[in-house]
């Protein structure tokens, strides 16, 4: 291009840039600013409310899972305790029967009956305690 043709192109470019940047310096009216602020506040409040609802749902879900885990822990702990108490009762019974061997006649019979009553009571108590903790096994 020659120098003469560059002049109108340059002027056109300067004019377009001037027109495009002219809007950057203009002030927004107070009403427009206030409307934009209110819009931003409403959108912010909506986002906060949604985040709070999501957080609440997550917390409730976690609490329900924790409650179920605690129920399971309580149930399994009560069952394990019952099993240990029954094994303990059986072991105590075996020791008592062996001690009864030192007796003879009616004393031996009374000793064995007492050992049988003790083991039955211990097992019954263990089962009752488990039911108290876990009424729906």
């Amino acid at each position: 291009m020659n120098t003469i043709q560059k002049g109108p192109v340059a002027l056109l470019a300067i004019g377009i840039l001037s027109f495009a940047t002219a809007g950057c310096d203009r002030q927004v009216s107070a009403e427009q600013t206030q409307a934009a602020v209110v819009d931003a506040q409403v959108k912010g409040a909506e986002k906060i409310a949604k985040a709070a609802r999501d957080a609440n749902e997550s917390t409730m879900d976690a609490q329900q899972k924790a409650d179920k885990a605690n129920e399971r822990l309580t149930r399994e702990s009560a069952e394990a305790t019952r099993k240990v108490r029954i094994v303990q009762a059986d072991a105590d019974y075996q020791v008592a029967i062996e001690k009864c061997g030192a007796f003879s006649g009616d004393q031996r019979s009374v000793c064995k009956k007492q050992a049988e009553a003790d083991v039955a009571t211990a097992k019954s108590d263990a089962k009752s305690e488990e039911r108290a903790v876990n009424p729906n096994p």
Side-chain angles (χ1 to χ4, degrees):
M1 268 193 202
N2 60 29
T3 312
I4 297 173
Q5 290 180 344
K6 288 182 184 177
V9 173
L11 284 175
L12 182 62
I14 290 172
I16 291 172
L17 284 174
S18 297
F19 182 72
T21 59
C24 294
D25 290 333
R26 72 179 172 105
Q27 270 191 316
V28 178
S29 72
E31 293 82 17
Q32 288 173 324
T33 300
Q34 182 61 30
V37 167
V38 168
D39 186 51
Q41 288 173 333
V42 167
K43 287 179 181 175
E46 288 171 350
K47 287 180 181 179
I48 291 168
K50 183 184 181 316
R53 281 191 307 271
D54 291 348
N56 191 38
E57 284 181 21
S58 294
T59 300
M60 288 174 43
D61 288 346
Q63 185 63 51
Q64 287 175 346
K65 288 177 183 176
D67 290 346
K68 287 180 183 177
N70 283 334
E71 287 173 14
R72 181 176 171 213
L73 173 64
T74 300
R75 184 178 58 250
E76 290 179 4
S77 178
E79 182 180 344
T81 299
R82 177 190 54 82
K83 287 178 180 179
V84 168
R85 294 206 45 210
I86 287 174
V87 169
Q88 179 68 48
D90 286 337
D92 290 347
Y93 173 75
Q94 291 302 320
V95 169
I97 292 297
E98 291 301 322
K99 287 181 179 180
C100 290
F103 301 113
S104 62
D106 286 342
Q107 277 187 318
R108 179 182 276 178
S109 178
V110 169
C111 181
K112 285 184 177 184
K113 285 181 182 182
Q114 184 61 50
E116 290 169 1
D118 290 346
V119 74
T121 299
K123 287 181 178 183
S124 177
D125 289 349
K127 289 177 186 176
S128 294
E129 287 175 13
E130 181 187 18
R131 279 193 297 270
V133 173
N134 184 23
N136 301 317

